[in-house]
Structure formats: structure tokens, C-alpha cells
Amino acid sequence: MLSPRRKPAALRLLAVACLTGVILAALAACPGPAAALDLDPRPQRAPVRLPGDLFDDNGPTEGTVRVKIGVKKIKYSRVLETAPLAVAATPGVGESIRDLPLTTPGGKKGLAFGRFNEVGLTLRDADPDNPSLAALTVRTPQGRSFVSDPLECVSRLGQAYLEAAAAPDASVPVARAEWANKTPLYIIRRVLDLPFDDVWRVAEDGPSTFLQRRFDSDLLGIGAVDLILRRPVPVQVNLVAALDPAHPRTRTVLDWYGLAKRTFTLPDGRTVLRVYVGRYLREHYAGIKAAKLKEISLMFFRQDAAEVRRDKVVERLVFMPSGLDAADVAKNGLPGRLPTRVREPFAGVRRVFVNIAPAATAMGASETATAALRLIPMAPKLPGGASVEDAFLALVSPRRDTPAFLAAADELATSLGAAPDIDRPDGGVTVTPLWSLAAPFAPAQQRFAFGDARTETPVFVSGAPDLFSAPGGVRLYRTGQGLSVEGRADRLSVPVTAAFTPAADTAYFFRLDIGRAPGLSGVFLDVFETSGGKPARTYALRPGTPTRLDGLPRTVAGATLRFTFTGREFALPFTRAMLAAVPTGKPHQGLYAARLPWSVTTAARPDKNTGSGRFSPVTPFGRLSWLTAAYGLTGDPVAVSIAGGQPAIPDTRSGILAGRLADKPNAVFPGTVDVAVSGRDGQAPGSLELTRAAFSGQAQADWRAIFAAGPLLDLGGKRLSPGNLSEEAAARLHAADAWLDIGPADLPAKNASARFFNHPWYDVAGLCFETRTPLDVTRFAAPPKARSGLGHENTLTRALAAVALLAAVWLALWLIGPARLRVLAARPARWLATPPADPRDARREMFWSLGACATLLMIRLALDAAAARLIVPLAAMALVPVWRVLAPAVTARLSRRAAPLGTWLAADPGRPYFLGFSLSLLFAAVLRLAMLARPAEFTVQAGLYCFLAGLYLELAPTRRETDAKSARTPAP
């Protein structure tokens, strides 16, 4: 196994638990491997406090525990039927663009969609860091075209994106560009569509700041706008476009909330916010032949301009091309959108599903359409490219709420070649593993993860000397992708120790899941009829999909999984390999009785007497193939034998030890596993410390066994499990929430609490403790409150106070009398209607009014927000005397230019104040266009007081008398 060392590289609780990687809701014809199911679910953080002393203060109370189970549901759809398609290769329009027509297996270009609603594609990238963008174009007989978004094929951005797509010469600088304040001249030039510069303009609007720049780019050629951010910040991108060539000055702001968005993390830690512009245009403006991007405005929420200038978190803008043929768009218009979903089972292989329902709706049921696939590398200047491994039409069920277990079971069975029907109670299929090999740890469980996922941790195996064989040996590492098998050879083999006699009513499938392996040229399965003989059959395997093994020999003595590489070194990320037997014919088993090979993991518990030399699973369950632990070695070298297997000889001070416990499916698992440590070369062994030990494996079980194994709740320190259920009870539980009897339990007298466990398939929605002990609730009743009647007295007091206040107001008005009231109201009306005649009085009044306004505004700066809201209205009110002085001059000027208007204003003393209100609105509009929001608000507030002054003059009780005494002399 070893070769030269590699170079370093309340009583009712709604449990809120996230559905982990066990359940993959996305649709796929051949799903990827699910993560291991944790048999030791983690308890929720907050326990539920129970009133244990409700029954007895002296000791625990015996009773029965019942829990209400709520089944988790997810949105799930599945492939019901497929029909193959052929991909005809034709010369591309350039070195980096390939156009591949899709045809029927017989070569016909016309495709009849019929009942199918999706097109499935399997793509393999030559370089996963530079993935190819796939765009499927469908043309109907009516001349309409529909296309999928090629940028939806990208699930991560790497070094190729930084070197090519986001290079300085291919992007627009922001942080290092010139910034300036937004001015009225910029607004005028923008409105008139005059030439512009490359300067970014800064403006504040309330609590937010805008960063704007004008453009004149072809919008239909842009697939997405990327913002490269130094760190994640809340920023909104407003895109202003000209969509009507007949009216080039008409502007449309694309709806930010209607635009699809996604965030990526770059290898250097920066963030990319991608806004899918092309997808939005194809969905809302299909058919347009020209569009221009006129302006981009970046909105920073609750950040002032100084903060935005200081941080400059947006480094660059990147315009990702749409991948559409510009000449075809200019001729036929922008095509409609075909929704797309993408899955990546492992690096380098993507499964693309394009929804063709919009195109099928636009054509008749008996008509045919043509389809073509365009492949474009994300970075055309760098090495890349992709090949199409599979293409097919698919009938996909609608996405609907499905119990999480049924979705997981359907995905697992489908990934191994079975065809269950989860819509029928008897649609289950039992899948029997004849041989399986999975990574010796659970990578999705953080509790059992070893080291940093970005580093490589060496793995040493005990009990399986020929698990992986290659000339010169291999070394195993734990990486972010799982188990990595590395060596210096051009081939690698894995023995498949499965001997069986093929049955006529059984189909056999081989499933292999691996990661990206540069230089991998082929994967084959050699099947032997006799041990040591020549292969009777050789099957070419496609990683990520189940390969049906047709034509097996009469007896199978074993097989060999064989990898070939083009170079002399390899690094193979290995996830899972399984040889499975699936019964043929229609499914006929119950959904909850069908047994499937679930990947499971449980913690390893060291024996208290022997210490770390003996381990047992916390939750024994079926076949557990591996015992894995992190180790730390101090002193001399050691040899470690797990379960009596061939010793592993670690040559590093820290790493992972993995013991292969059983190589046959459903082998009897011992209750404990011994770990023996010995020295080497006659020397005493060093000190070996084992931590974070865990068992893992693939256990063939049905839902009832899995549900019965795990705990539901912890009551007073005791874990309670539901036990075995009938298939009818399981079906009833998945149909609606149901109460289950857990069994007898003791409720402590004091400090009683219940803690529920998180599970990917269900929630505990309620808890009930039933006992025959009499319940005395009177001792828990609150003491009776004294009936003081304060509530009724307070209500009566408030009512009497309101009546008294109204009576006082009426009495005051009656004492003043109507005549004196008119005299009091006439004084302010007379003052408003009579401006100062002496110029010196006018100047003095304006000086004092403006001074009072400025003083109040300066005082506002020193006060908090609450006090400022009281000062600003007073400052605006101080400007009313200013308009009282200026109104005659404005009226006289208007009389000379527009005599009817001047006559109308002079006919009533309140109308000049209405004129002041109108002028304030116009002036405030100009200030608002100049992005001066606060001055505009203050101007409107001052004009409002002018409007109230004019309204008072109109409603004054002595208006006629005031009008007679307020004859005005027009100012020269």
C-alpha cells in the first residue's frame, strides 16, 4: 500500500431543523451519492422545561410518553420517462464556439416533443476550472426561437474567471476609477443624451448613497453583470436601458427585484455578485432586436458618501457575454427563455436540464422543432472545451411537496438503477448490494470531519492490503472531495470481491462516483467467470450513472474495477462504488418496507475498561464497514491493527486511521472492535492517541428500521426511541401528523426537561406525558387579586376629564363672545394681508426673519433627532414674514408680464400666499433633481406654511373688513 512519500500539497415544540445533504431535491436522471445518514442526530440547543413538580414533589412520576411526529416535506420532482437523442458534431463558427445539432437516433433534425417537457444533457469539461457554457436553442415551425441561459451552467468561479473573464482589460474599474460629485450639469447631459466620460458620480439620497456612471453598450450582448466585491455588502444594482430604438431617449429601469441574482466566492476570498440581465430580458422583452445599456447605478444601503468613498468595496464590473449570435438576434429578435437547472455530481461533469415547455406551447402538438446546442468556454482564451456524453428527452413530474424520506429513497434507488414509483403505496423496490466500497469517513458530517477541508490529511488503512492496487503502490489522503487515491502509475485497480449466480428476474448495475481526475482515460469493469482466469466480459463504466451489466456469465467469481490514465501519475477522488442487484418488473413492495443500501455513520464509543483499545458503536445498525479515527503519534513508530486485520503503519505524526471491518454485504458485525498497537523492529511502540472515532458503512434497511434506531427525544437524561412500526402506521404518519407511543418513562420531580433531536426526515411537533398520578392544580393557582375596581374608575375618570375639557372650551368661547372672537382673529389676518410700506421696515423684517431661520437651523445641528424634528418646522415658519415682504414685488412683476394673472392675485390678499406655495414646489423639484433631498424637503415645508397663511386669510371671520383695509400699493 505504501510508496515514497508524496510531495506536500412549550409542551409543544416546533423543531426547526435544516434538511442536510441527505436529501437532494433537485431533479436528475441519475442522482449523485447522498451523504451519510447520522444515526446519532444532534440535540437541539434549547431544551423544553417540564413542570416535574406538577405531580409529586418528593420523587419521579411514572407515566407514558407520546410524541407528535411531523413529517418534513420538500419540493421534489423526478424523471418519469426518457427518450434518447443524438448529438451530431459539425464545424463550429470559431475555435472556441461549437454548434451541435440535436437529432433523433435515426438522424432526423425535426424533434416531436410530444409529452416530454425537458431536454437532459450530460457534459464533461476538459478543465472544470474553465467550464463550457451550454445554450440550447429551440426553433419552432412558426419562426420563433427559445434559448436557455448558458450562464446558468456555472456553479463556481475559479482562477480561469480571474485570468480571463474578469481581467483588467475585460472589465470596468470602479474602485480605482475617478470619482466626482453628481452635479446639475451631469443631469442635464444625461437627460439630453450628450457625450459622457468615464467618471463615477456620487450622490446621497436620504440614508443611502448612489454611485452612477453612464454607458452606451449593446445590452442584448450582455448575459450578466458581475460586481467583484472586496467583502459581502448589501448593494443594489440599478440598470437603466433604452429598449425602444424609435425613442432613443426613453429610459427603462430594470426591476431589481425581478432580476435573478447569485453570489460566488472567489479563491482569493473576494465575492462576486452576479446579476442575470440576459435571462430577465429574454423573459420580459423577447422579440426586441436592439437595446442599449445607458447607465449603471450602485445603491449602498444606509451608508453615507464618506463611508462609500473610504471603503470602495466594489472593485470592478464585469460584463459576461450572453453567448447568443448577434447577427441572428438583430435579424430575428431576442429569443424567449427556456428555464434551466444544473447539477454537478462531481467536478468536471454537469447534468443540464432545459425546460422546453415554453417552446412546446408555442407550436402545435403534431409539429416538430429543431434544436441545437452551443458550447462556449467561459474563458475562450484559455484551454477548455466540453464533450456531450448524453442527450435525451425527459418527462419530468411537477415539483410538489413530497415527504423527505420518499424523495431520498427515490433518489437513492434511482442512482443504483432501480425505477421505484413513490406515487403508489406499493411502488417500492428493494436494492441489494452485492459489493460496495465507500470512503472510510462521512465527509458531510462536520462532527466526524478530520482537519481542514482545504488541506490533505494522510489516511492509513488496516485490514485491506489490496483495497487499491497500482504499480509502485498508492497513498490515501483525506481532501475536501473525500478520499483521494494517489500514485505514480498509469493504471489503478480495485478488486470487487463479489461471487454470485445471475438470476433471470434480476438486473445488475454497477455505480461509480468519483471526482475530477486529470488524465483519466477510461474506467472499466472486468468480470471473471472463474477465479484467476481471463475476463469473461468487460464493461465500460460512466462515472456518476448506473451501468447495467447485461450479458453476465453463468456464474460470477469476481470482478476488477480498472482505471487507466494517460500520464504516469494520478490523483483520483473516490466517493463510492457499488455492485447492486435490482429485481426486474414493476415495483410491487411497500414504500416503507423496501430495503435500500443507506450510507450510515455513528460515533464510536471507547470501552471504559480498556480505554482507547476497544470501540463499540453508539447506535449499532446493520453493516458497518469502517472504523475511522484521527490519531496523534508521539515517540517511536507503531503498527496498528484494527479488528485483527493487517496492520497499518503510519509514517506521519498525525493523520487518519481507517480499519476495514467487513468486505461482504450484510456481514455480521461484532459488538466491539479491538485496536491493537505494537512497535516495529523490536522496539516498544510510541504513544498513539485516537480521537473523534466513528463507524460508517452502507446498511440495507427500510424506513421502519431507520426510524426505530435513532432517538426522538431525551427525557431526564434518558434517550427514547420510537421502536418498530407497522407499514400501515408508517404510511399514516407520512400522510398527516400523528401521535406515537414511545413507552414508559419517569418524569423527575425537579429540573425536568426534554430535548428533541434534529432529523432530516421528520420533526417532533408535540410532547405528551400521561400518568395515573392525581393532579392537584390548586396549589399552582395564583393568589386572587383584590377587586379594587381601579380599571372601571380609571375609565370613568378619563371620560369625565374629556367632558370637563369640552365644557371649559365651550365656556371660554361663550365668555369671549362672537364679536370679541372676530376682533382677535382679525389681528393676524390684518398683519398677513398688510405688508410693510416703509422699505426700512421691510428690510428689518427680512433681516430678523432670515436670522431667526438661520439660528434655528444652526441650533438643530447641535440637537438629537427627536429635538431636531421640532426645530425644523419653526425655522420653516420663520420664512413666512420673508414672503410677506417679497409678495408685493413678485405680484407687481407678474402684473407687468401677465396682466390677468396680476389682477387675479391682487383681488384677494390670500392668493399671493398660494403663489408662494406654488413657487416653493417648483424650487423644491429643481433641488430634488440635483439630488439635494433635504433642502428640497425644507423648501416644501416653508411653502406649506405660506399655504396655511393664505388659507387663514380666506377663512378669517372679518375677511371683508380686512379686505377693505388692506389695499395694496404695487411695488415699483
Side-chain angles (χ1 to χ4, degrees):
M1 289 288 293
L2 300 179
S3 67
R5 188 174 299 180
R6 181 182 181 270
K7 296 182 179 180
L11 294 183
R12 178 178 176 86
L13 175 66
L14 293 177
V16 182
C18 295
L19 189 61
T20 60
V22 175
I23 311 299
L24 297 177
L27 166 70
C30 301
L37 178 65
D38 192 355
L39 297 176
D40 310 318
R42 296 183 181 182
Q44 297 178 2
R45 293 182 179 180
V48 178
R49 300 297 177 183
L50 301 178
D53 55 350
L54 187 66
F55 302 101
D56 192 353
D57 291 335
N58 300 322
T61 302
E62 297 181 355
T64 303
V65 176
R66 293 186 175 90
V67 295
K68 189 176 184 180
I69 301 297
V71 175
K72 289 184 177 180
K73 294 185 178 182
I74 62 173
K75 294 292 184 181
Y76 185 74
S77 62
R78 57 197 182 95
V79 177
L80 303 177
E81 185 180 353
T82 62
L85 293 176
V87 181
T90 60
V93 299
E95 295 182 357
S96 59
I97 300 178
R98 298 177 60 199
D99 286 321
L100 308 175
L102 299 184
T103 65
T104 63
K108 294 182 179 180
K109 294 184 178 181
L111 301 179
F113 295 147
R115 61 185 178 278
F116 298 104
N117 53 13
E118 288 195 357
V119 170
L121 303 165
T122 302
L123 306 179
R124 182 177 293 273
D125 293 309
D127 184 2
D129 291 333
N130 186 20
S132 289
L133 310 181
L136 178 68
T137 302
V138 177
R139 299 187 184 277
T140 66
Q142 293 78 14
R144 296 187 60 184
S145 59
F146 300 83
V147 66
S148 63
D149 188 357
L151 294 176
E152 291 188 63
C153 298
V154 180
S155 59
R156 65 180 183 275
L157 300 178
Q159 195 62 33
Y161 174 82
L162 295 175
E163 293 179 2
D169 58 346
S171 57
V172 178
V174 179
R176 296 186 179 182
E178 182 181 353
W179 290 22
N181 291 329
K182 189 175 181 180
T183 61
L185 181 60
Y186 172 83
I187 299 174
I188 295 174
R189 298 181 68 88
R190 182 182 64 176
V191 172
L192 299 179
D193 201 15
L194 297 177
F196 56 90
D197 51 27
D198 296 339
V199 179
W200 287 89
R201 309 288 175 170
V202 183
E204 283 188 285
D205 186 4
S208 302
T209 300
F210 287 84
L211 186 62
Q212 298 171 305
R213 189 196 142 172
R214 296 174 61 196
F215 292 87
D216 191 27
S217 306
D218 178 22
L219 186 59
L220 300 186
I222 300 176
V225 177
D226 291 356
L227 270 69
I228 301 181
L229 310 174
R230 293 178 179 174
R231 66 175 187 273
V233 293
V235 56
Q236 177 173 319
V237 184
N238 296 328
L239 303 171
V240 182
L243 303 178
D244 189 359
H247 302 85
R249 294 186 180 180
T250 302
R251 299 291 183 263
T252 301
V253 180
L254 304 187
D255 182 14
W256 165 255
Y257 299 100
L259 288 164
K261 297 166 282 289
R262 185 173 181 177
T263 302
F264 299 90
T265 301
L266 295 176
D268 55 9
R270 290 180 295 174
T271 300
V272 175
L273 173 61
R274 172 163 291 183
V275 183
Y276 294 91
V277 182
R279 191 187 310 178
Y280 178 86
L281 293 176
R282 287 190 288 273
E283 186 173 357
H284 294 86
Y285 299 98
I288 63 174
K289 298 182 179 180
K292 290 286 186 179
L293 176 63
K294 306 302 293 185
E295 187 180 57
I296 291 182
S297 177
L298 308 179
M299 179 179 177
F300 299 88
F301 298 94
R302 300 188 180 277
Q303 298 185 50
D304 55 23
E307 184 180 356
V308 173
R309 288 179 181 270
R310 181 195 64 205
D311 296 342
K312 292 189 174 182
V313 294
V314 182
E315 293 188 355
R316 314 188 69 82
L317 280 179
V318 181
F319 296 120
M320 297 299 297
S322 63
L324 303 179
D325 189 344
D328 183 73
V329 172
K331 178 181 178 181
N332 300 317
L334 190 67
R337 174 179 175 245
L338 298 178
T340 306
R341 292 172 295 103
V342 181
R343 290 190 58 192
E344 191 173 17
F346 49 88
V349 173
R350 289 169 296 153
R351 296 195 176 96
V352 182
F353 285 84
V354 182
N355 190 336
I356 57 175
T361 304
M363 51 187 283
S366 60
E367 295 178 326
T368 61
T370 59
L373 180 65
R374 168 168 284 202
L375 298 177
I376 309 173
M378 183 182 67
K381 297 180 181 180
L382 299 180
S387 59
V388 182
E389 293 191 345
D390 192 14
F392 54 89
L393 289 170
L395 174 62
V396 181
S397 66
R399 291 176 61 86
R400 60 183 179 182
D401 289 334
T402 304
F405 163 75
L406 294 181
D410 179 76
E411 196 159 356
L412 176 59
T414 304
S415 69
L416 298 175
D421 187 357
I422 61 175
D423 294 331
R424 291 170 37 215
D426 59 347
V429 177
T430 291
V431 178
T432 304
L434 303 178
W435 174 89
S436 67
L437 176 61
F441 28 69
Q445 307 296 321
Q446 294 183 355
R447 198 192 318 183
F448 305 137
F450 301 94
D452 191 344
R454 295 171 295 181
T455 62
E456 292 185 347
T457 306
V459 179
F460 300 93
V461 177
S462 168
D466 299 325
L467 189 63
F468 298 96
S469 301
V474 298
R475 286 187 70 91
L476 306 181
Y477 292 88
R478 164 71 158 92
T479 66
Q481 298 185 47
L483 178 66
S484 178
V485 185
E486 305 182 11
R488 296 181 178 179
D490 59 355
R491 60 189 181 276
L492 172 70
S493 62
V494 179
V496 180
T497 56
F500 61 95
T501 301
D505 59 347
T506 304
Y508 299 89
F509 294 87
F510 196 92
R511 173 70 185 235
L512 175 65
D513 294 294
I514 59 176
R516 177 199 173 194
L520 179 64
S521 59
V523 184
F524 306 94
L525 181 68
D526 296 330
V527 179
F528 300 92
E529 188 171 7
T530 58
S531 299
K534 294 183 178 181
R537 286 293 305 269
T538 297
Y539 300 89
L541 303 180
R542 182 188 300 172
T545 60
T547 301
R548 181 160 181 160
L549 307 180
D550 291 326
L552 287 171
R554 294 182 178 179
T555 59
V556 176
T560 299
L561 177 61
R562 185 163 47 88
F563 302 86
T564 59
F565 304 91
T566 57
R568 302 294 300 176
E569 293 185 357
F570 64 85
L572 179 68
F574 186 90
T575 303
R576 176 182 68 168
M578 181 181 293
L579 176 60
V582 179
T584 58
K586 289 186 177 182
H588 61 279
Q589 287 186 297
L591 293 175
Y592 308 101
R595 305 174 69 212
L596 299 174
W598 296 96
S599 296
V600 296
T601 181
T602 180
R605 178 169 43 203
D607 188 89
K608 296 181 179 180
N609 299 324
T610 61
S612 61
R614 177 172 294 179
F615 293 89
S616 60
V618 172
T619 306
F621 190 80
R623 177 197 178 201
L624 298 175
S625 309
W626 293 98
L627 172 61
T628 310
Y631 75 87
L633 177 61
T634 305
D636 295 330
V638 297
V640 183
S641 174
I642 300 178
Q646 180 175 346
I649 304 176
D651 57 8
T652 59
R653 290 296 176 182
S654 62
I656 299 174
L657 285 172
R660 182 75 168 166
L661 306 179
D663 199 27
K664 295 182 180 180
N666 304 317
V668 178
F669 180 76
T672 59
V673 174
D674 293 327
V675 179
V677 182
S678 60
R680 299 188 61 193
D681 302 329
Q683 297 181 357
S687 176
L688 185 70
E689 181 183 3
L690 301 179
T691 58
R692 291 176 290 177
F695 288 93
S696 61
Q698 290 175 318
Q700 188 183 20
D702 58 12
W703 177 88
R704 297 173 298 173
I706 297 175
F707 183 74
L712 283 178
L713 76 155
D714 185 301
L715 184 63
K718 181 181 179 180
R719 292 191 173 191
L720 302 178
S721 300
N724 294 321
L725 295 179
S726 64
E727 188 172 357
E728 292 77 11
R732 185 175 64 255
L733 186 149
H734 283 79
D737 294 356
W739 287 92
L740 296 178
D741 288 340
I742 301 300
D746 294 336
L747 187 66
K750 296 181 180 180
N751 300 324
S753 64
R755 187 183 293 270
F756 302 104
F757 293 92
N758 294 324
H759 199 279
W761 294 343
Y762 49 79
D763 282 327
V764 177
L767 172 64
C768 174
F769 183 80
E770 181 181 337
T771 178
R772 294 182 179 180
T773 303
L775 178 63
D776 184 13
V777 297
T778 58
R779 57 193 180 100
F780 297 99
K785 295 182 179 181
R787 302 185 61 181
S788 59
L790 293 178
H792 298 286
E793 293 182 1
N794 290 338
T795 304
L796 181 60
T797 300
R798 287 193 292 267
L800 293 176
V803 172
L805 179 61
L806 292 176
V809 172
W810 177 84
L811 181 61
L813 293 177
W814 181 79
L815 291 176
I816 293 175
R820 189 175 300 177
L821 185 62
R822 283 194 295 268
V823 173
L824 293 176
R827 291 178 182 178
R830 191 178 301 114
W831 181 83
L832 289 172
T834 309
D838 191 349
R840 290 177 299 178
D841 295 339
R843 287 193 298 268
R844 187 183 303 111
E845 187 170 335
M846 286 190 62
F847 173 79
W848 283 105
S849 298
L850 293 175
C853 178
T855 302
L856 290 172
L857 291 178
M858 293 179 64
I859 295 175
R860 172 196 173 277
L861 299 177
L863 300 177
D864 56 9
R869 285 194 292 267
L870 300 177
I871 297 298
V872 173
L874 295 177
M877 190 182 301
L879 295 180
V880 174
V882 176
W883 178 250
R884 175 173 173 264
V885 174
L886 296 178
V890 175
T891 302
R893 186 175 294 272
L894 290 176
S895 299
R896 290 194 295 267
R897 295 181 177 272
L901 179 60
T903 303
W904 181 82
L905 290 173
D908 193 294
R911 293 175 183 177
Y913 290 95
F914 295 147
L915 174 64
F917 173 65
S918 301
L919 293 178
S920 71
L921 294 180
L922 294 177
F923 188 53
V926 175
L927 294 176
R928 190 64 179 82
L929 288 176
M931 304 303 294
L932 300 174
R934 294 180 181 176
E937 293 175 1
F938 180 75
T939 303
V940 173
Q941 198 167 8
L944 179 62
Y945 286 114
C946 289
F947 176 82
L948 293 177
L951 185 63
Y952 181 80
L953 289 174
E954 294 293 327
L955 300 178
T958 58
R959 177 189 169 191
R960 293 184 178 179
E961 179 185 353
T962 303
D963 293 346
K965 296 180 180 180
S966 59
R968 301 187 182 188
T969 303

